[in-house]
PDB file of all heavy atoms in Angstrom:
ATOM      1  N   LEU A 196     -12.031  22.552 -21.299  1.00 98.00           N
ATOM      2  CA  LEU A 196     -13.344  21.931 -21.406  1.00 98.00           C
ATOM      3  C   LEU A 196     -13.698  21.067 -20.205  1.00 98.00           C
ATOM      4  O   LEU A 196     -14.873  20.777 -19.988  1.00 98.00           O
ATOM      5  CB  LEU A 196     -13.419  21.074 -22.676  1.00 98.00           C
ATOM      6  CG  LEU A 196     -13.188  21.793 -24.008  1.00 98.00           C
ATOM      7  CD1 LEU A 196     -13.393  20.831 -25.167  1.00 98.00           C
ATOM      8  CD2 LEU A 196     -14.110  22.996 -24.147  1.00 98.00           C
ATOM      9  N   PHE A 197     -12.685  20.649 -19.418  1.00 97.00           N
ATOM     10  CA  PHE A 197     -13.024  19.684 -18.366  1.00 97.00           C
ATOM     11  C   PHE A 197     -12.156  19.747 -17.112  1.00 97.00           C
ATOM     12  O   PHE A 197     -12.509  19.153 -16.105  1.00 97.00           O
ATOM     13  CB  PHE A 197     -12.973  18.250 -18.919  1.00 97.00           C
ATOM     14  CG  PHE A 197     -11.691  17.903 -19.623  1.00 97.00           C
ATOM     15  CD1 PHE A 197     -10.567  17.516 -18.919  1.00 97.00           C
ATOM     16  CD2 PHE A 197     -11.611  17.978 -21.017  1.00 97.00           C
ATOM     17  CE1 PHE A 197      -9.385  17.208 -19.581  1.00 97.00           C
ATOM     18  CE2 PHE A 197     -10.434  17.662 -21.673  1.00 97.00           C
ATOM     19  CZ  PHE A 197      -9.309  17.276 -20.957  1.00 97.00           C
ATOM     20  N   ASP A 198     -11.019  20.429 -17.113  1.00 96.00           N
ATOM     21  CA  ASP A 198     -10.127  20.373 -15.956  1.00 96.00           C
ATOM     22  C   ASP A 198      -9.981  21.747 -15.300  1.00 96.00           C
ATOM     23  O   ASP A 198      -9.317  22.638 -15.826  1.00 96.00           O
ATOM     24  CB  ASP A 198      -8.757  19.849 -16.361  1.00 96.00           C
ATOM     25  CG  ASP A 198      -7.921  19.432 -15.168  1.00 96.00           C
ATOM     26  OD1 ASP A 198      -7.497  20.322 -14.412  1.00 96.00           O
ATOM     27  OD2 ASP A 198      -7.678  18.215 -14.989  1.00 96.00           O
ATOM     28  N   GLU A 199     -10.593  21.914 -14.131  1.00 95.00           N
ATOM     29  CA  GLU A 199     -10.578  23.211 -13.440  1.00 95.00           C
ATOM     30  C   GLU A 199      -9.180  23.551 -12.933  1.00 95.00           C
ATOM     31  O   GLU A 199      -8.799  24.727 -12.880  1.00 95.00           O
ATOM     32  CB  GLU A 199     -11.570  23.189 -12.282  1.00 95.00           C
ATOM     33  CG  GLU A 199     -13.021  23.076 -12.725  1.00 95.00           C
ATOM     34  CD  GLU A 199     -13.982  23.072 -11.552  1.00 95.00           C
ATOM     35  OE1 GLU A 199     -13.517  23.144 -10.396  1.00 95.00           O
ATOM     36  OE2 GLU A 199     -15.208  22.994 -11.804  1.00 95.00           O
ATOM     37  N   GLY A 200      -8.390  22.538 -12.550  1.00 95.00           N
ATOM     38  CA  GLY A 200      -7.034  22.791 -12.082  1.00 95.00           C
ATOM     39  C   GLY A 200      -6.163  23.376 -13.176  1.00 95.00           C
ATOM     40  O   GLY A 200      -5.377  24.310 -12.931  1.00 95.00           O
ATOM     41  N   ILE A 201      -6.296  22.850 -14.393  1.00 97.00           N
ATOM     42  CA  ILE A 201      -5.551  23.384 -15.530  1.00 97.00           C
ATOM     43  C   ILE A 201      -5.997  24.815 -15.823  1.00 97.00           C
ATOM     44  O   ILE A 201      -5.177  25.700 -16.089  1.00 97.00           O
ATOM     45  CB  ILE A 201      -5.726  22.469 -16.761  1.00 97.00           C
ATOM     46  CG1 ILE A 201      -4.950  21.162 -16.551  1.00 97.00           C
ATOM     47  CG2 ILE A 201      -5.279  23.167 -18.043  1.00 97.00           C
ATOM     48  CD1 ILE A 201      -5.104  20.153 -17.670  1.00 97.00           C
ATOM     49  N   ALA A 202      -7.303  25.055 -15.749  1.00 96.00           N
ATOM     50  CA  ALA A 202      -7.816  26.409 -15.979  1.00 96.00           C
ATOM     51  C   ALA A 202      -7.260  27.384 -14.951  1.00 96.00           C
ATOM     52  O   ALA A 202      -6.915  28.525 -15.274  1.00 96.00           O
ATOM     53  CB  ALA A 202      -9.341  26.395 -15.934  1.00 96.00           C
ATOM     54  N   ALA A 203      -7.137  26.927 -13.709  1.00 96.00           N
ATOM     55  CA  ALA A 203      -6.636  27.795 -12.646  1.00 96.00           C
ATOM     56  C   ALA A 203      -5.182  28.180 -12.872  1.00 96.00           C
ATOM     57  O   ALA A 203      -4.736  29.230 -12.388  1.00 96.00           O
ATOM     58  CB  ALA A 203      -6.783  27.098 -11.294  1.00 96.00           C
ATOM     59  N   GLU A 204      -4.455  27.361 -13.611  1.00 95.00           N
ATOM     60  CA  GLU A 204      -3.060  27.668 -13.933  1.00 95.00           C
ATOM     61  C   GLU A 204      -2.937  28.504 -15.206  1.00 95.00           C
ATOM     62  O   GLU A 204      -1.831  28.779 -15.676  1.00 95.00           O
ATOM     63  CB  GLU A 204      -2.256  26.372 -14.091  1.00 95.00           C
ATOM     64  CG  GLU A 204      -2.104  25.575 -12.813  1.00 95.00           C
ATOM     65  CD  GLU A 204      -1.361  26.319 -11.726  1.00 95.00           C
ATOM     66  OE1 GLU A 204      -0.542  27.210 -12.059  1.00 95.00           O
ATOM     67  OE2 GLU A 204      -1.592  26.040 -10.534  1.00 95.00           O
ATOM     68  N   GLY A 205      -4.080  28.887 -15.779  1.00 95.00           N
ATOM     69  CA  GLY A 205      -4.065  29.709 -16.985  1.00 95.00           C
ATOM     70  C   GLY A 205      -3.739  28.933 -18.240  1.00 95.00           C
ATOM     71  O   GLY A 205      -3.345  29.521 -19.260  1.00 95.00           O
ATOM     72  N   ASP A 206      -3.928  27.614 -18.183  1.00 97.00           N
ATOM     73  CA  ASP A 206      -3.605  26.774 -19.332  1.00 97.00           C
ATOM     74  C   ASP A 206      -4.891  26.217 -19.935  1.00 97.00           C
ATOM     75  O   ASP A 206      -5.994  26.463 -19.436  1.00 97.00           O
ATOM     76  CB  ASP A 206      -2.671  25.644 -18.888  1.00 97.00           C
ATOM     77  CG  ASP A 206      -1.979  24.939 -20.053  1.00 97.00           C
ATOM     78  OD1 ASP A 206      -2.001  25.487 -21.176  1.00 97.00           O
ATOM     79  OD2 ASP A 206      -1.427  23.847 -19.848  1.00 97.00           O
ATOM     80  N   ILE A 207      -4.747  25.452 -21.015  1.00 98.00           N
ATOM     81  CA  ILE A 207      -5.882  24.832 -21.695  1.00 98.00           C
ATOM     82  C   ILE A 207      -5.744  23.324 -21.644  1.00 98.00           C
ATOM     83  O   ILE A 207      -4.654  22.787 -21.472  1.00 98.00           O
ATOM     84  CB  ILE A 207      -5.991  25.309 -23.158  1.00 98.00           C
ATOM     85  CG1 ILE A 207      -4.717  24.930 -23.943  1.00 98.00           C
ATOM     86  CG2 ILE A 207      -6.238  26.812 -23.221  1.00 98.00           C
ATOM     87  CD1 ILE A 207      -4.785  25.249 -25.426  1.00 98.00           C
ATOM     88  N   ASP A 208      -6.863  22.619 -21.806  1.00 98.00           N
ATOM     89  CA  ASP A 208      -6.817  21.155 -21.844  1.00 98.00           C
ATOM     90  C   ASP A 208      -7.240  20.587 -23.197  1.00 98.00           C
ATOM     91  O   ASP A 208      -7.157  19.382 -23.426  1.00 98.00           O
ATOM     92  CB  ASP A 208      -7.664  20.541 -20.723  1.00 98.00           C
ATOM     93  CG  ASP A 208      -9.137  20.954 -20.766  1.00 98.00           C
ATOM     94  OD1 ASP A 208      -9.666  21.180 -21.866  1.00 98.00           O
ATOM     95  OD2 ASP A 208      -9.754  21.039 -19.684  1.00 98.00           O
ATOM     96  N   SER A 209      -7.684  21.456 -24.109  1.00 98.00           N
ATOM     97  CA  SER A 209      -8.151  21.019 -25.423  1.00 98.00           C
ATOM     98  C   SER A 209      -7.679  22.005 -26.485  1.00 98.00           C
ATOM     99  O   SER A 209      -7.745  23.226 -26.278  1.00 98.00           O
ATOM    100  CB  SER A 209      -9.680  20.929 -25.453  1.00 98.00           C
ATOM    101  OG  SER A 209     -10.147  20.070 -24.429  1.00 98.00           O
ATOM    102  N   LEU A 210      -7.236  21.462 -27.626  1.00 98.00           N
ATOM    103  CA  LEU A 210      -6.599  22.298 -28.647  1.00 98.00           C
ATOM    104  C   LEU A 210      -6.840  21.729 -30.030  1.00 98.00           C
ATOM    105  O   LEU A 210      -6.791  20.511 -30.230  1.00 98.00           O
ATOM    106  CB  LEU A 210      -5.085  22.348 -28.386  1.00 98.00           C
ATOM    107  CG  LEU A 210      -4.188  22.977 -29.443  1.00 98.00           C
ATOM    108  CD1 LEU A 210      -4.384  24.496 -29.475  1.00 98.00           C
ATOM    109  CD2 LEU A 210      -2.729  22.638 -29.165  1.00 98.00           C
ATOM    110  N   MET A 211      -7.114  22.618 -30.985  1.00 98.00           N
ATOM    111  CA  MET A 211      -7.132  22.249 -32.403  1.00 98.00           C
ATOM    112  C   MET A 211      -6.387  23.324 -33.184  1.00 98.00           C
ATOM    113  O   MET A 211      -6.578  24.518 -32.947  1.00 98.00           O
ATOM    114  CB  MET A 211      -8.555  22.071 -32.928  1.00 98.00           C
ATOM    115  CG  MET A 211      -9.309  20.948 -32.255  1.00 98.00           C
ATOM    116  SD  MET A 211     -10.817  20.417 -33.125  1.00 98.00           S
ATOM    117  CE  MET A 211     -10.103  19.363 -34.378  1.00 98.00           C
ATOM    118  N   VAL A 212      -5.526  22.881 -34.091  1.00 98.00           N
ATOM    119  CA  VAL A 212      -4.678  23.797 -34.850  1.00 98.00           C
ATOM    120  C   VAL A 212      -4.757  23.455 -36.334  1.00 98.00           C
ATOM    121  O   VAL A 212      -4.680  22.275 -36.714  1.00 98.00           O
ATOM    122  CB  VAL A 212      -3.205  23.704 -34.405  1.00 98.00           C
ATOM    123  CG1 VAL A 212      -2.368  24.767 -35.120  1.00 98.00           C
ATOM    124  CG2 VAL A 212      -3.063  23.844 -32.899  1.00 98.00           C
ATOM    125  N   THR A 213      -4.908  24.463 -37.157  1.00 98.00           N
ATOM    126  CA  THR A 213      -4.793  24.318 -38.612  1.00 98.00           C
ATOM    127  C   THR A 213      -3.606  25.150 -39.071  1.00 98.00           C
ATOM    128  O   THR A 213      -3.465  26.314 -38.671  1.00 98.00           O
ATOM    129  CB  THR A 213      -6.071  24.785 -39.327  1.00 98.00           C
ATOM    130  OG1 THR A 213      -7.172  23.985 -38.885  1.00 98.00           O
ATOM    131  CG2 THR A 213      -5.927  24.648 -40.835  1.00 98.00           C
ATOM    132  N   MET A 214      -2.758  24.555 -39.902  1.00 98.00           N
ATOM    133  CA  MET A 214      -1.576  25.261 -40.391  1.00 98.00           C
ATOM    134  C   MET A 214      -1.449  25.087 -41.901  1.00 98.00           C
ATOM    135  O   MET A 214      -1.933  24.106 -42.471  1.00 98.00           O
ATOM    136  CB  MET A 214      -0.309  24.744 -39.697  1.00 98.00           C
ATOM    137  CG  MET A 214      -0.343  24.874 -38.190  1.00 98.00           C
ATOM    138  SD  MET A 214       1.247  24.541 -37.376  1.00 98.00           S
ATOM    139  CE  MET A 214       1.474  22.804 -37.731  1.00 98.00           C
ATOM    140  N   VAL A 215      -0.784  26.043 -42.521  1.00 98.00           N
ATOM    141  CA  VAL A 215      -0.518  25.998 -43.960  1.00 98.00           C
ATOM    142  C   VAL A 215       0.985  26.174 -44.154  1.00 98.00           C
ATOM    143  O   VAL A 215       1.590  27.082 -43.569  1.00 98.00           O
ATOM    144  CB  VAL A 215      -1.294  27.090 -44.716  1.00 98.00           C
ATOM    145  CG1 VAL A 215      -1.006  26.994 -46.215  1.00 98.00           C
ATOM    146  CG2 VAL A 215      -2.786  26.976 -44.441  1.00 98.00           C
ATOM    147  N   SER A 216       1.570  25.331 -44.963  1.00 98.00           N
ATOM    148  CA  SER A 216       3.010  25.402 -45.184  1.00 98.00           C
ATOM    149  C   SER A 216       3.351  26.486 -46.197  1.00 98.00           C
ATOM    150  O   SER A 216       2.468  27.078 -46.833  1.00 98.00           O
ATOM    151  CB  SER A 216       3.527  24.048 -45.689  1.00 98.00           C
ATOM    152  OG  SER A 216       3.163  23.857 -47.041  1.00 98.00           O
ATOM    153  N   ALA A 217       4.636  26.717 -46.371  1.00 96.00           N
ATOM    154  CA  ALA A 217       5.089  27.758 -47.294  1.00 96.00           C
ATOM    155  C   ALA A 217       4.612  27.504 -48.718  1.00 96.00           C
ATOM    156  O   ALA A 217       4.369  28.450 -49.484  1.00 96.00           O
ATOM    157  CB  ALA A 217       6.613  27.849 -47.252  1.00 96.00           C
ATOM    158  N   SER A 218       4.445  26.226 -49.096  1.00 97.00           N
ATOM    159  CA  SER A 218       4.002  25.902 -50.453  1.00 97.00           C
ATOM    160  C   SER A 218       2.492  25.671 -50.545  1.00 97.00           C
ATOM    161  O   SER A 218       1.985  25.308 -51.607  1.00 97.00           O
ATOM    162  CB  SER A 218       4.738  24.661 -50.970  1.00 97.00           C
ATOM    163  OG  SER A 218       4.372  23.512 -50.219  1.00 97.00           O
ATOM    164  N   GLY A 219       1.784  25.846 -49.418  1.00 98.00           N
ATOM    165  CA  GLY A 219       0.329  25.739 -49.445  1.00 98.00           C
ATOM    166  C   GLY A 219      -0.240  24.425 -48.948  1.00 98.00           C
ATOM    167  O   GLY A 219      -1.461  24.232 -48.975  1.00 98.00           O
ATOM    168  N   ARG A 220       0.598  23.514 -48.504  1.00 98.00           N
ATOM    169  CA  ARG A 220       0.090  22.238 -47.980  1.00 98.00           C
ATOM    170  C   ARG A 220      -0.515  22.429 -46.593  1.00 98.00           C
ATOM    171  O   ARG A 220      -0.180  23.382 -45.891  1.00 98.00           O
ATOM    172  CB  ARG A 220       1.195  21.194 -47.977  1.00 98.00           C
ATOM    173  CG  ARG A 220       1.656  20.860 -49.406  1.00 98.00           C
ATOM    174  CD  ARG A 220       2.732  19.807 -49.441  1.00 98.00           C
ATOM    175  NE  ARG A 220       4.002  20.315 -48.925  1.00 98.00           N
ATOM    176  CZ  ARG A 220       5.060  19.534 -48.717  1.00 98.00           C
ATOM    177  NH1 ARG A 220       4.973  18.223 -48.935  1.00 98.00           N
ATOM    178  NH2 ARG A 220       6.187  20.060 -48.280  1.00 98.00           N
ATOM    179  N   MET A 221      -1.397  21.519 -46.198  1.00 98.00           N
ATOM    180  CA  MET A 221      -2.241  21.734 -45.024  1.00 98.00           C
ATOM    181  C   MET A 221      -1.933  20.734 -43.915  1.00 98.00           C
ATOM    182  O   MET A 221      -1.650  19.568 -44.168  1.00 98.00           O
ATOM    183  CB  MET A 221      -3.717  21.608 -45.416  1.00 98.00           C
ATOM    184  CG  MET A 221      -4.134  22.523 -46.531  1.00 98.00           C
ATOM    185  SD  MET A 221      -5.803  22.129 -47.119  1.00 98.00           S
ATOM    186  CE  MET A 221      -5.847  23.105 -48.620  1.00 98.00           C
ATOM    187  N   VAL A 222      -2.029  21.231 -42.667  1.00 98.00           N
ATOM    188  CA  VAL A 222      -1.804  20.410 -41.477  1.00 98.00           C
ATOM    189  C   VAL A 222      -2.933  20.668 -40.492  1.00 98.00           C
ATOM    190  O   VAL A 222      -3.338  21.817 -40.293  1.00 98.00           O
ATOM    191  CB  VAL A 222      -0.462  20.751 -40.797  1.00 98.00           C
ATOM    192  CG1 VAL A 222      -0.252  19.885 -39.548  1.00 98.00           C
ATOM    193  CG2 VAL A 222       0.694  20.595 -41.769  1.00 98.00           C
ATOM    194  N   GLN A 223      -3.424  19.598 -39.881  1.00 98.00           N
ATOM    195  CA  GLN A 223      -4.424  19.733 -38.828  1.00 98.00           C
ATOM    196  C   GLN A 223      -3.982  18.918 -37.622  1.00 98.00           C
ATOM    197  O   GLN A 223      -3.592  17.755 -37.756  1.00 98.00           O
ATOM    198  CB  GLN A 223      -5.798  19.266 -39.307  1.00 98.00           C
ATOM    199  CG  GLN A 223      -6.932  19.584 -38.335  1.00 98.00           C
ATOM    200  CD  GLN A 223      -8.287  19.260 -38.941  1.00 98.00           C
ATOM    201  OE1 GLN A 223      -8.634  18.106 -39.105  1.00 98.00           O
ATOM    202  NE2 GLN A 223      -9.055  20.286 -39.273  1.00 98.00           N
ATOM    203  N   ILE A 224      -4.034  19.535 -36.442  1.00 98.00           N
ATOM    204  CA  ILE A 224      -3.592  18.899 -35.206  1.00 98.00           C
ATOM    205  C   ILE A 224      -4.722  18.972 -34.184  1.00 98.00           C
ATOM    206  O   ILE A 224      -5.334  20.024 -34.014  1.00 98.00           O
ATOM    207  CB  ILE A 224      -2.351  19.614 -34.630  1.00 98.00           C
ATOM    208  CG1 ILE A 224      -1.185  19.566 -35.625  1.00 98.00           C
ATOM    209  CG2 ILE A 224      -1.927  19.003 -33.304  1.00 98.00           C
ATOM    210  CD1 ILE A 224      -0.007  20.446 -35.222  1.00 98.00           C
ATOM    211  N   ALA A 225      -5.001  17.849 -33.513  1.00 98.00           N
ATOM    212  CA  ALA A 225      -5.973  17.815 -32.413  1.00 98.00           C
ATOM    213  C   ALA A 225      -5.276  17.282 -31.175  1.00 98.00           C
ATOM    214  O   ALA A 225      -4.643  16.224 -31.219  1.00 98.00           O
ATOM    215  CB  ALA A 225      -7.162  16.928 -32.779  1.00 98.00           C
TER     216      ALA A 225
END
Side-chain angles (χ1 to χ4, degrees):
L196 301 184
F197 52 82
D198 195 290
E199 294 181 359
I201 288 177
E204 294 298 334
D206 195 14
I207 61 175
D208 58 32
S209 304
L210 171 71
M211 297 195 81
V212 185
T213 299
M214 302 190 294
V215 181
S216 75
S218 66
R220 295 181 290 172
M221 304 171 192
V222 180
Q223 189 173 71
I224 300 170

